Amino acid sequence: MDSLKTIEGKVRSVLQENEDARNDDMVLYLALCNLYLEDAGNMPLAQILTNHKELGLPGFESVGRTRRKLQERHPELLGNVRRQRIRAAGEKAYRKYAKT
């Protein structure tokens, strides 16, 4: 649970400082990896994805869930209106898919 609180604080910090990260989980994850591990942006993606635990990096899904939770609680951390519409449409489509 403590690690989730740590992730939440770091995700919130990135969302507050980086508007692009509000709109794109990949940008958010890269910025977060760079907070945890200096120069992570220069590492091969395969190395980050296969060794994220050993590198002390949070899981990608945990970051995405944390972003959604923070944006639900703090509307000022939402992405731009276009991105909000795209996410809403995607959520609607997923709900329809999940019901079948």
Side-chain angles (χ1 to χ4, degrees), residues 23-56:
N23 295 317
D24 188 328
D25 280 348
M26 297 300 274
V27 172
L28 172 60
Y29 192 68
L30 177 59
L32 202 61
C33 286
N34 282 321
L35 276 180
Y36 276 89
L37 185 64
E38 186 177 327
D39 215 28
N42 291 324
M43 294 176 72
L45 179 61
Q47 183 178 0
I48 290 173
L49 296 178
T50 57
N51 298 310
H52 75 277
K53 288 182 183 178
E54 292 83 6
L55 294 169

Side-chain angles (χ1 to χ4, degrees), residues 1-77:
M1 184 68 153
D2 288 336
S3 67
L4 292 176
K5 290 291 184 185
T6 301
I7 292 170
E8 184 175 324
K10 290 187 178 193
V11 169
R12 184 178 188 158
S13 174
V14 170
L15 291 175
Q16 287 172 331
E17 296 173 15
N18 186 334
E19 289 185 38
D20 290 336
R22 298 175 194 171
N23 295 317
D24 188 328
D25 280 348
M26 297 300 274
V27 172
L28 172 60
Y29 192 68
L30 177 59
L32 202 61
C33 286
N34 282 321
L35 276 180
Y36 276 89
L37 185 64
E38 186 177 327
D39 215 28
N42 291 324
M43 294 176 72
L45 179 61
Q47 183 178 0
I48 290 173
L49 296 178
T50 57
N51 298 310
H52 75 277
K53 288 182 183 178
E54 292 83 6
L55 294 169
L57 301 172
F60 185 79
E61 283 297 315
S62 295
V63 173
R65 283 192 298 268
T66 302
R67 179 206 37 87
R68 288 189 295 275
K69 176 182 170 184
L70 286 168
Q71 287 181 332
E72 185 177 302
R73 287 184 182 170
H74 306 281
E76 69 275 11
L77 298 178

